[in-house]
Amino acid sequence: MSKRIIVDYTNCMDTTLKLNGISKKKLSDLGSALQQAQKEVNHKKQAGQLGFMELPYKTSEAKDIMKLATRLKGKYDNFVVLGIGGSALGNICLQNSINHLYYNLLPKNKRRGFPRIFVLDNVDADMVKGLMDVIDVKKTLFNVITKSGTTSETMSQYFIFRKELEKRLGQKYRRNIIATTDIDKGYLRELADKERYTTLVVPKNVGGRFSVLSPVGLLSAAFGGIDIEQLLAGARYMDSLCQTNNMSKNPAMIYAALQYLMYKQGKTISVMMPYAQHLKEFADWYAQLWAESLGKAVNNKGKRVNVGPTPVKTLGATDQHSQVQLYMEGPFDKVVTILSVEKLAATLTIPSYNTHFLGGQTMNKLLLTEEKATTMALAQNNRPNLTITLPEINEFNLGQMIYLFELATAYMGELLEINTFDQPGVELGKILTYALMGRPGFEKKRKEIEKQLRKKGKFIV
Ligand code: PA5
């Protein structure tokens, strides 16, 4: 089976669409800007700023992570990630893409002795308490992940589970915690050193949403039995495909080019629609990557631009009965990316009853047919869409996909002339939370907010 991922953008071109299509000329006119974008990205890489591009080559680190997971295999029934945003979404994506869709419900032998995996990506007390109801904390390894080492959501989860562990295990509780954080900065780093936790490092030059192939994503993946070396191998393969500066041969460049041109002609919504249940959370991961990287107030020259395409996560065929009506007939403001899988792991034949037309055909064919029908119908309604096809879902191909979209995001940021790698909007929310929750050093901010809140009139029904 070919390992090559195919990007088919026929349904974005004016040769297919009567309206809203892109001409070959428009695409090739963007060529030099894209080559410049690629140069900029490579320049930043050389300057050591884009750590995500180094991650696929950190094979000895991956081996160490595998060793750690193998050494601890069988010692814990559960592995729980405490983190949020870039410190959680990649982990969820890896587990759901590769592992059995009901992995945690399988008996241990069917999980090949690996622990159940949970990722707590929120601070909802019902969810956290709910998890406590279904796990025995004594038999659980907690991986607290925060690059900054201070994020309130993650730290609150950590304090809650640390208390539970201490109640049950006393000083031995440390064995049940692995901290993944910065090498020398942040509250969690201080704490982890003081408490002598096992620690893994988030490289300084890797931002949260680009960190899935770092220890942030790899540890929980290894504990879930995922072949992390193959993930990195896939990412390296995609990196090799993206070395060319010929846009029509470079998957990341062509994706960025199409998204950019569509955005410029008013398609400000980028829909990600996998036709595979396994890739549902891939769309979630993409949404964060695209939104947090590209939604920016100012450009590189400091000019206010308020740019950024809005990513929307959707699932085929489920959303054909929900959002697709809007995509077909609503405003012309979307470009849809379909993720297609040639061969799912399972094949199911629909039994024949009363000469019903579905009888004897496979469910696989039904899904692929629905996908094809959706892309054709979208195109007939002049709705631009492209299809990215994976031969099958495995670690190698997932590694390719992750790297493709990370690199495309970097190129897209260059085309939009913004800083792809900061997130001042997220930081502001964090600061306001610290102030309102009484973090020392934020007293002035708190007073300001309280004053503002007093001033504002209320409109409540
Ligand atoms: O991509 C990002 O930078 C963010 O989504 C962060 O991952 C998120 O805010 C969590 O930050 P931290 O890992 O510092 O706790």
Side-chain angles (χ1 to χ4, degrees), residues 84-86 148 151-153 208-209 288 291-297 421-434:
I84 199 158
S148 60
T151 304
S152 303
E153 291 88 340
R209 56 194 174 275
Q288 190 218 9
E292 216 170 276
S293 303
L294 303 175
K296 296 290 151 74
F421 302 97
D422 66 356
Q423 53 286 322
V426 176
E427 299 305 336
L428 180 60
K430 284 188 182 182
I431 289 166
L432 297 182
T433 304
Y434 292 149

Side-chain angles (χ1 to χ4, degrees), residues 112-284:
R112 295 175 291 139
F114 290 105
R116 296 189 292 169
I117 309 281
F118 300 92
V119 183
L120 276 190
D121 59 344
N122 205 348
V123 280
D124 183 314
D126 285 342
M127 185 180 78
V128 175
K129 185 71 183 54
L131 181 66
M132 283 179 191
D133 292 341
V134 298
I135 61 167
D136 176 352
V137 290
K138 263 182 12 191
K139 295 184 184 155
T140 302
L141 183 58
F142 291 89
N143 181 203
V144 49
I145 310 177
T146 162
K147 180 177 174 180
S148 60
T150 51
T151 304
S152 303
E153 291 88 340
T154 308
M155 294 316 288
S156 71
Q157 295 166 352
Y158 157 78
F159 290 130
I160 286 169
F161 283 105
R162 172 177 168 171
K163 192 78 192 164
E164 289 301 307
L165 283 170
E166 280 176 325
K167 272 195 242 160
R168 307 283 300 277
L169 294 166
Q171 282 312 300
K172 285 192 192 141
Y173 90 94
R174 292 182 176 84
R175 286 189 207 154
N176 292 46
I177 295 186
I178 296 180
T180 305
T181 191
D182 189 88
I183 194 161
D184 56 14
K185 277 211 183 103
Y187 181 70
L188 182 63
R189 167 52 63 188
E190 262 175 49
L191 201 84
D193 290 346
K194 187 166 146 244
E195 299 288 321
R196 298 186 313 282
Y197 295 153
T198 301
T199 60
L200 295 177
V201 171
V202 189
K204 286 198 188 287
N205 59 0
V206 177
R209 56 194 174 275
F210 288 87
S211 68
V212 56
L213 299 179
S214 80
V216 169
L218 296 185
L219 186 69
S220 64
F223 269 92
I226 292 172
D227 186 340
I228 59 175
E229 295 185 73
Q230 275 300 302
L231 266 179
L232 298 191
R236 285 196 298 279
Y237 177 64
M238 182 51 70
D239 190 31
S240 71
L241 297 179
C242 294
Q243 291 306 312
T244 173
N245 67 0
N246 179 346
M247 173 191 357
S248 61
K249 295 204 168 114
N250 181 327
M253 264 185 158
I254 200 73
Y255 187 79
L258 295 166
Q259 293 287 330
Y260 178 77
L261 291 174
M262 287 297 174
Y263 179 73
K264 285 287 167 187
Q265 62 178 53
K267 312 286 174 287
T268 56
I269 298 176
S270 170
V271 177
M272 180 57 71
M273 188 171 192
Y275 270 77
Q277 196 71 28
H278 269 296
L279 297 179
K280 188 173 176 217
E281 278 74 20
F282 185 89
D284 226 356

